[in-house]
Amino acid sequence: MTNEKYKPLLEPFDFSNGVSLKNRIVMAPMTNYSSNEDGTVSDEEVSYYIRRSKGVGMVITACTYGTTNGQGFPGEFAAHTDEMIPSLKRLASAIKDEGAKAILQIFHAGRQVPKEIAPNGDVVSASAIAYPAEGKPVPRALTEIEIEAIIRDFGEMTRRAIEAGYDGVEIHGANTYLIQQFFSPHSNRRTDRFGGTLEKRMTFPLAVVDEVKRVVNEYVKELFIVGYRFSPEEPEEPGITMADTLILVDRLASKNLDYLHVSLMDFWSTPKRGVEDTRSRIELLQEVIGDRVPLIGVGSIYTAEDARKALTSGVPLIGLGRELLIDPEWVQKIEQGREDEIVTKLEIDKQEELDLPTPLWQRIIKNPGWVPGI
Ligand SMILES: Cc1cc2nc3c(=O)[nH]c(=O)nc-3n(C[C@H](O)[C@H](O)[C@H](O)COP(=O)(O)O)c2cc1C
């Protein structure tokens, strides 16, 4: 029997467009490096998702690319041509058959595309400024025509997601990738309509939202979710500050999106720059957004108690990433009143038992500290 204290986590959630989730827990998007060479989803990848789609209300997939020069990782599944629709469909069906809503995360990696997988080594971004880390290439600044084409590619990915049976898409505007690169004063030094002022740096992100919404209005017969993910701050100077993000989020909250999703490693982290306020980022975001659009909070929510506390911040939905790698039965254990049995450290001998694809497992092992336990 579910412990009374944790029942709020299991309450259904209704989006304003009418889509209903069976509970408040969302699987956060996680790249797994495990797709086939041709960009289709692999058997191991599908098993990994099936295992993790049984408890949560909604699964946001790993990011997928819609432009050949937008692939951010080896073993990333593709959404750049109509030939990929059966593969996209296989993943959507696998998730939905287990009872969760399936959301496809759509992106372009921009200057974070590894040179070895960029077509002809042509790494592109808003401006010719390298990511501030050793060995990162200087990208080529996109032309306006190329930018317009990438905006349309986001629309095409959305159309393919609709045709493949997804319940929605999440626009990946976070984690240093192309959409964020246009918003960032570090990576965007343009002087045309896509850069210059904060307002102009929002042109590309907002144009992507408009294009995705346009396609949804054109093709969707039933209900469809459109979410947007953002990172609140960048450490570099110049870089996105909390003050910048509150302005972006205010604009996004008026765009008739179905949800916003902040990308954080620690749910209760506080702002580094741009605001004097000492409250957590989540609280500041929630204050600006109000009840205009639901916000998904995420970051180191390992236990049932962590999740219960997170809901008290006012966010209606909680994302779990690494926690579901470590314990795919996280939600079911709360349902059954066995929350004390939730595993919070990855067990080194359990790769197979946990249905973790080998390429993902190898990445985790190579990066100690990334996932607790390793
Ligand atoms: C292996 C791994 C892959 C990730 N890939 C993505 C991704 O494709 N897209 C994305 O928006 N975030 C990605 N993230 C970030 C997670 O969605 C999440 O924000 C982060 O892990 C913090 O949440 P957690 O503490 O619940 O893991 C990834 C995280 C991990 C650990």
Side-chain angles (χ1 to χ4, degrees):
M1 268 239 312
T2 310
N3 187 328
E4 202 59 38
K5 260 200 328 195
Y6 303 123
K7 282 191 174 158
L9 295 167
L10 303 178
E11 270 171 27
F13 177 78
D14 296 326
F15 286 103
S16 62
N17 73 356
V19 177
S20 188
L21 305 184
K22 67 179 180 193
N23 61 44
R24 305 304 179 102
I25 308 297
V26 173
M27 180 171 169
M30 280 182 289
T31 291
N32 56 53
Y33 316 95
S34 306
S35 308
N36 296 320
E37 278 287 308
D38 64 358
T40 56
V41 295
S42 65
D43 295 346
E44 318 190 79
E45 193 172 16
V46 172
S47 306
Y48 156 89
Y49 276 107
I50 289 176
R51 182 73 182 277
R52 288 166 177 80
S53 302
K54 297 179 200 298
V56 298
M58 178 164 104
V59 170
I60 306 167
T61 69
C63 53
T64 180
Y65 61 101
T67 311
T68 39
N69 62 12
Q71 182 181 351
F73 308 92
E76 178 179 313
F77 69 95
H80 65 314
T81 62
D82 283 1
E83 279 75 63
M84 292 296 141
I85 292 175
S87 152
L88 295 171
K89 190 175 189 143
R90 186 179 172 210
L91 184 54
S93 306
I95 295 169
K96 292 195 303 179
D97 285 353
E98 301 304 323
K101 298 291 178 202
I103 306 293
L104 186 71
Q105 193 185 50
I106 53 177
F107 98 134
H108 185 300
R111 67 179 179 177
Q112 296 289 28
V113 172
K115 216 169 168 55
E116 55 286 5
I117 57 175
N120 306 315
D122 184 29
V123 178
V124 298
S125 183
S127 299
I129 309 281
Y131 180 75
E134 219 181 290
K136 290 286 183 175
V138 177
R140 178 177 64 77
L142 289 159
T143 65
E144 283 203 42
I145 289 171
E146 287 174 313
I147 296 171
E148 294 294 349
I150 291 174
I151 293 169
R152 285 195 300 278
D153 289 339
F154 275 92
E156 284 290 89
M157 279 191 277
T158 304
R159 177 182 58 76
R160 292 181 194 116
I162 294 165
E163 288 181 25
Y166 283 86
D167 298 293
V169 291
E170 177 173 286
I171 300 167
H172 190 359
N175 301 357
T176 76
Y177 300 117
L178 187 67
I179 296 179
Q180 182 175 326
Q181 289 161 31
F182 270 91
F183 184 52
S184 166
H186 185 275
S187 35
N188 185 348
R189 312 282 172 101
R190 300 179 76 93
T191 52
D192 59 8
R193 68 194 171 94
F194 291 103
T197 60
L198 176 83
E199 184 65 31
K200 287 179 161 180
R201 284 188 275 113
M202 289 194 284
T203 307
F204 181 76
L206 297 177
V208 170
V209 171
D210 288 343
E211 175 64 3
V212 167
K213 298 281 294 178
R214 185 190 68 73
V215 169
V216 170
N217 288 336
E218 187 174 336
Y219 292 97
V220 173
K221 310 252 167 353
E222 292 170 19
L223 307 171
F224 196 78
I225 297 168
V226 180
Y228 186 104
R229 194 171 208 204
F230 59 93
S231 290
E233 295 189 72
E234 289 177 336
E236 53 267 18
E237 187 67 63
I240 297 170
T241 68
M242 195 66 210
D244 297 340
T245 290
L246 293 177
I247 293 170
L248 174 67
V249 161
D250 182 51
R251 291 293 284 276
L252 290 170
S254 304
K255 278 275 174 197
N256 211 14
L257 289 158
D258 297 294
Y259 72 83
L260 297 178
H261 185 182
V262 61
S263 182
L264 294 171
M265 293 309 278
D266 171 15
F267 186 93
W268 294 105
S269 61
T270 51
K272 302 272 181 287
R273 282 186 298 166
V275 293
E276 294 301 314
D277 218 306
T278 54
R279 284 177 295 165
S280 65
R281 288 158 162 164
I282 281 278
E283 287 164 286
L284 296 178
L285 291 164
Q286 198 54 61
E287 187 171 86
V288 166
I289 296 166
D291 55 10
R292 286 183 285 172
V293 56
L295 175 65
I296 304 179
V298 69
S300 303
I301 305 290
Y302 285 101
T303 65
E305 192 51 24
D306 291 341
R308 188 194 63 76
K309 281 199 197 119
L311 275 191
T312 66
S313 69
V315 300
L317 296 167
I318 307 290
L320 301 182
R322 294 166 296 173
E323 299 81 359
L324 291 176
L325 301 181
I326 299 169
D327 192 343
E329 276 76 47
W330 199 99
V331 177
Q332 294 92 314
K333 286 181 180 169
I334 295 182
E335 276 169 353
Q336 296 158 9
R338 298 193 294 127
E339 60 276 354
D340 292 349
E341 293 172 36
I342 289 175
V343 184
T344 56
K345 287 196 166 52
L346 193 59
E347 292 162 293
I348 190 86
D349 55 344
K350 299 245 162 93
Q351 184 207 338
E352 223 170 292
E353 201 180 303
L354 292 170
D355 280 316
L356 288 169
T358 298
L360 173 59
W361 182 256
Q362 283 164 349
R363 288 273 175 151
I364 292 170
I365 302 284
K366 270 197 208 137
N367 292 286
W370 195 22
V371 176
I374 305 290

